Amino acid sequence: MGPIGENEFFFLMQGLKWTVLLAIVGFIGGGIFGILIALLRTSKTKVARTITAGYIGVFQGTPLLMQLFVVYYGVALLGIEVNAWIAVAIAFTLHASAFLGEIWRGSIEAVPKGQTEAANALGLHYVSRMKDVILPQALKISMPATIGFLVQLIKGTSLAAIVGFIELTRAGQIISNQTYRPLLVFGIVGAIYFIICWPLSHAGSGLEKRMAKAAR
Amino acid sequence: MLNSAKDQPTLISLEDVQKWYGAFHALKSISLSVRKGEKIVLCGPSGSGKSTLIRCINALETIEDGKIVVEGQVLDGSAKSVDAIRREVGMVFQSFNLFPHMTVLQNCTLAPMRVRGTSRTDAERLARKFLERVRILDQAEKYPAQLSGGQQQRVAIARALCMEPKVMLFDEPTSALDPEMVKEVLDTMIGLARDGMTMICVTHEMGFARQVADRVIFMASGEIVEEAEPEVFFKSPKHERTKTFLGEILAHH
């Protein structure tokens, strides 16, 4: 058994950096496309609704691990050389946009119909109606679920190890193999995930409670 | 009657309007014309189509047949005609429908800024003018949830007025209010009527109808059953359904 010293800890921190970066990329990419998905999903055009429903169905109905595989090796098969970063960023963006799109679709529909009617009666057009009236209310409604998904996404980044990414879990595995102290190493790794995710979950349920109170 | 609208030009006309919800015939050959400055009260039992009728005028509902003209603009379902009509027609809802994430002032400035392209300064000046008119300017920086129902409805009236509409539609504006708040909203509406606004009000407030209406229209089962000046309407209703309805509604007032 080897010691777990400064170097090993530094290595884990390197892994943590990638974990956080992956989650941020997935969340931002997924957020931008997710809004688009949610808007198409709630649009008047049936084709747009059907296509986005299919998109959401595919990405919610298949494992993230498989999605990573498909993007990483699938894109390579097309003859395009992509590094792991790009492939993983694309996969996480697709994955997150499907889930966030569906969460936000629900929130948009949860905004009372009277809000749309009032906006229409005032002559507001689609862009203003969405940007100024509906989306701010929908995003507020969606906050607990959105934060919940962010927590899932942070933990889900560990799957990026499969395509050769040394993020936190993979870094832990490497250290564990070097030091033969799996329990200690993964204890530390688990604690790091917990330190990041727990405050988020806590904030999410706090928001939920406050909103439940406000709705009474 | 507060003023005579008899010689004024027609502002709104409905010809033979038909509206279906699936198999339910919600509006049956409705024809109605409203002159500039006229105040019309629409009443009738629930499900009689009165709300549907006014919601067709600003295209919140589509019609299956017939013709709606507002200020010379035919409502043909095109985005252009809908825009043109909504610019002239303001609406106040039973459930206020204020935007809860905006202050009272922001509620009032949003549409002028986005639809008319008014600058923020001008929109705020306009908003303050109308908030003062509904006597709620002191609450301008508050959020709707911090106000009482009556105050919220007055803000909703001010918000609609900020678009400087030629007609105001009221869809049961006092039905969701506690009794002690009904008066402040009705007083605001009476004030608006006195200033010459053209108004179509769906309401069961018969005192209001007596006081300001030029015509009271009674609807039942999607049809206009009877229309008359308020004195005639209340004193000597012709149809049996009108008599029954008035009997029921006046017994509670």
Side-chain angles (χ1 to χ4, degrees):
Chain A
M1 285 204 282
I4 295 196
E6 219 174 277
N7 284 341
E8 284 74 15
F9 196 71
F10 181 73
F11 192 68
L12 284 182
M13 286 301 114
Q14 287 290 90
L16 173 63
K17 184 184 83 188
W18 289 115
T19 289
V20 170
L21 272 174
L22 275 176
I24 290 173
V25 165
F27 194 69
I28 291 174
I32 292 166
F33 284 96
I35 291 237
L36 204 66
I37 298 287
L39 289 174
L40 290 171
R41 191 75 188 83
T42 53
S43 77
K44 277 188 193 160
T45 321
K46 183 140 188 281
V47 181
R49 288 202 310 269
T50 314
I51 292 173
T52 44
Y55 177 88
I56 291 167
V58 165
F59 283 95
Q60 287 198 334
T62 55
L64 175 57
L65 188 59
M66 195 213 79
Q67 293 162 16
L68 282 163
F69 265 135
V70 170
V71 173
Y72 187 61
Y73 296 110
V75 174
L77 278 181
L78 292 174
I80 307 162
E81 192 70 34
V82 285
N83 65 24
W85 235 121
I86 304 283
V88 169
I90 291 172
F92 276 107
T93 296
L94 292 173
H95 176 79
S97 67
F99 276 85
L100 290 174
E102 185 67 354
I103 289 171
W104 293 338
R105 192 250 339 139
S107 324
I108 287 172
E109 286 172 359
V111 175
K113 219 174 117 239
Q115 294 290 307
T116 303
E117 289 187 348
N120 278 334
L122 286 167
L124 293 174
H125 283 157
Y126 181 79
V127 173
S128 167
R129 198 165 72 228
M130 282 297 164
K131 179 173 73 75
D132 299 319
V133 179
I134 306 299
L135 288 182
Q137 298 184 60
L139 286 184
K140 194 176 158 208
I141 294 170
S142 82
M143 275 321 266
T146 303
I147 290 175
F149 177 74
L150 178 59
V151 170
Q152 293 291 330
L153 191 68
I154 290 169
K155 292 184 290 182
T157 54
S158 65
L159 292 173
I162 205 74
V163 294
F165 235 83
I166 304 175
E167 42 62 67
L168 183 54
T169 303
R170 178 76 182 125
Q173 200 184 4
I174 290 169
I175 300 284
S176 160
N177 288 346
Q178 284 171 352
T179 60
Y180 301 107
R181 287 167 176 257
L183 218 57
L184 177 60
V185 173
F186 283 111
I188 294 170
V189 168
I192 294 172
Y193 276 114
F194 185 81
I195 289 166
I196 298 172
C197 293
W198 187 77
L200 280 173
S201 298
H202 189 71
S205 57
L207 265 176
E208 202 167 344
K209 268 186 212 130
R210 256 197 295 159
M211 278 164 54
K213 233 185 240 169
R216 255 190 292 154
Chain B
M1 259 184 289
L2 298 163
N3 56 0
S4 173
K6 288 228 163 61
D7 312 321
Q8 295 290 335
T10 300
L11 203 54
I12 299 177
S13 86
L14 285 78
E15 284 169 41
D16 211 15
V17 169
Q18 309 279 355
K19 166 82 189 162
W20 297 79
Y21 289 113
F24 179 66
H25 202 174
L27 294 178
K28 300 171 185 164
S29 317
I30 299 287
S31 293
L32 172 68
S33 95
V34 181
R35 281 184 295 273
K36 192 168 178 295
E38 234 185 337
K39 291 104 187 88
I40 290 185
V41 163
L42 267 174
C43 61
S46 66
S48 59
K50 50 201 193 307
S51 287
T52 306
L53 174 59
I54 64 167
R55 290 163 58 87
C56 287
I57 294 173
N58 67 346
L60 288 185
E61 303 280 352
T62 52
I63 60 172
E64 268 67 54
D65 201 6
K67 192 175 172 191
I68 297 178
V69 186
V70 179
E71 262 264 290
Q73 173 71 52
V74 180
L75 183 57
D76 55 14
S78 68
K80 195 169 152 275
S81 73
V82 171
D83 283 353
I85 284 177
R86 285 179 180 162
R87 254 196 300 273
E88 309 295 349
V89 180
M91 189 172 215
V92 173
F93 299 88
Q94 179 176 355
S95 47
F96 328 136
N97 297 348
L98 292 177
F99 305 135
H101 58 299
M102 297 182 189
T103 63
V104 164
L105 193 66
Q106 288 166 339
N107 262 279
C108 293
T109 55
L110 179 67
M113 284 165 63
R114 292 286 187 270
V115 181
R116 291 200 190 280
T118 312
S119 71
R120 179 178 298 278
T121 325
D122 290 346
E124 285 185 356
R125 193 178 308 131
L126 196 69
R128 287 181 196 283
K129 179 180 121 189
F130 286 114
L131 286 171
E132 177 144 48
R133 182 149 156 201
V134 302
R135 289 173 292 108
I136 200 148
L137 184 57
D138 51 329
Q139 315 280 351
E141 301 304 329
K142 286 195 180 165
Y143 285 89
Q146 296 169 288
L147 305 181
S148 73
Q151 289 174 320
Q152 288 190 50
Q153 194 60 299
R154 285 189 281 140
V155 172
I157 293 171
R159 180 176 71 173
L161 290 175
C162 281
M163 288 300 285
E164 305 192 294
K166 297 215 167 65
V167 190
M168 286 282 283
L169 307 174
F170 291 86
D171 189 2
E172 306 208 29
T174 57
S175 301
L177 296 176
D178 291 332
E180 72 270 22
M181 290 168 190
V182 170
K183 190 178 174 294
E184 64 184 69
V185 171
L186 288 181
D187 284 347
T188 306
M189 291 168 63
I190 290 167
L192 208 55
R194 294 228 160 92
D195 292 344
M197 177 63 80
T198 310
M199 294 161 71
I200 305 182
C201 313
V202 172
T203 182
H204 289 156
E205 295 295 334
M206 292 302 137
F208 173 78
R210 276 206 180 91
Q211 213 174 330
V212 306
D214 296 297
R215 266 188 292 162
V216 182
I217 295 178
F218 175 69
M219 283 183 76
S221 319
E223 288 173 295
I224 293 181
V225 175
E226 185 161 353
E227 66 176 281
E229 291 180 3
E231 284 144 74
V232 181
F233 182 84
F234 290 112
K235 266 192 202 128
S236 47
K238 289 187 199 70
H239 289 75
E240 210 46 53
R241 296 189 74 165
T242 318
K243 285 178 196 162
T244 316
F245 175 77
L246 282 176
E248 277 164 12
I249 204 138
L250 295 175
H252 294 293
H253 283 81

